[in-house]
Amino acid sequence: MRAPFSGVIQRNGSKVVPPIRLRMSAGIASPRSELHVYAIIVSACNLRVTMRRRDDFREEVRRLAASCAGLTMRQAARQLTQLFDDALKGSGLSLAQIGLMALIATSEDDRMAALAARAGLDPSTLSRNLRALERDGLIEIATVEKDLRRRAVWLTEEGSRRLQAALPAWQAAQARVAAILPADLLHRIAAASAALAEPEG
């Protein structure tokens, strides 16, 4: 007489007993039951292969995410921005706003196009950011009489006063960052960023 199937399948080192009872006829297992058992065995093997592939996929994604320069720089930029925004909170200005105001104050070319190029922003993004400063009376945007297609931007007296008042907090935040990130490292990052902005070829 053929020994009945034990119903024990190895899966990930553990014993699994499928919910099946072999139907016996004259002491012989039913062919349909044997096919059912075989299907369960095949399914268990396929499950192990699928789980192994899923583990390999997760490990590959984990390694790629851990070594991705883009994700690392984005996270560092968010943390730095938060540090500066917290330090500048008393001025009522964000780091992005102070950065734009500093560019406007120090630029010899007051055209919007020149400001967009220096800030590394597209015209629509620049216009959106400038509107908030204009609404608060910190900058003024005007059309040049000789060329109606040209617009110029400059700080108002209130804008200059607010920027000057924010300088101590801005300098303190930079000093805190400099204690962690050496100046030469920041220069190398800036140079690398400029190189990445250049077209390939």
Side-chain angles (χ1 to χ4, degrees):
M1 178 183 298
R2 181 186 301 177
F5 179 69
S6 65
V8 177
I9 301 175
Q10 294 289 334
R11 182 185 300 174
N12 293 335
S14 302
K15 292 184 178 181
V16 178
V17 181
I20 179 174
R21 295 179 60 185
L22 299 182
R23 293 181 299 173
M24 305 296 292
S25 176
I28 301 176
S30 167
R32 180 177 299 178
S33 297
E34 290 185 342
L35 289 176
H36 189 188
V37 171
Y38 177 74
I40 292 177
I41 296 174
V42 172
S43 177
C45 292
N46 290 338
L47 177 61
R48 293 183 64 183
V49 172
T50 300
M51 293 180 66
R52 188 180 303 114
R53 289 176 178 172
R54 184 177 62 184
D55 291 341
D56 292 343
F57 168 74
R58 286 179 174 176
E59 179 61 22
E60 181 181 3
V61 172
R62 187 195 66 78
R63 287 197 304 266
L64 185 59
S67 61
C68 178
L71 292 178
T72 300
M73 294 300 290
R74 279 179 62 88
Q75 182 177 6
R78 284 195 297 268
Q79 292 171 341
L80 278 173
T81 300
Q82 187 62 53
L83 184 152
F84 277 95
D85 284 344
D86 290 344
L88 296 167
K89 191 174 298 183
S91 69
L93 298 171
S94 67
L95 177 63
Q97 290 174 321
I98 281 187
L100 274 179
M101 293 172 67
L103 288 177
I104 295 170
T106 58
S107 177
E108 296 180 358
D109 190 341
D110 60 2
R111 294 175 304 156
M112 291 275 287
L115 178 60
R118 291 189 65 192
L121 300 173
D122 60 83
S124 61
T125 301
L126 176 64
S127 296
R128 184 171 61 252
N129 292 340
L130 290 179
R131 278 197 296 270
L133 295 175
E134 185 181 29
R135 184 184 62 245
D136 294 340
L138 304 179
I139 65 169
E140 186 174 348
I141 302 174
T143 302
V144 179
E145 293 182 1
K146 295 181 180 180
D147 186 355
L148 297 180
R149 295 172 301 177
R150 174 185 168 187
R151 293 195 300 167
V153 55
W154 56 84
L155 292 182
T156 62
E157 290 186 8
E158 175 64 13
S160 297
R161 186 190 66 79
R162 291 277 297 277
L163 179 59
Q164 185 174 6
L167 291 183
W170 191 12
Q171 291 171 339
Q174 292 201 54
R176 180 181 174 187
V177 172
I180 302 173
L181 299 177
D184 62 327
L185 175 59
L186 295 177
H187 292 323
R188 291 202 304 271
I189 293 175
S193 299
L196 290 172
E198 297 177 357
E200 294 185 8

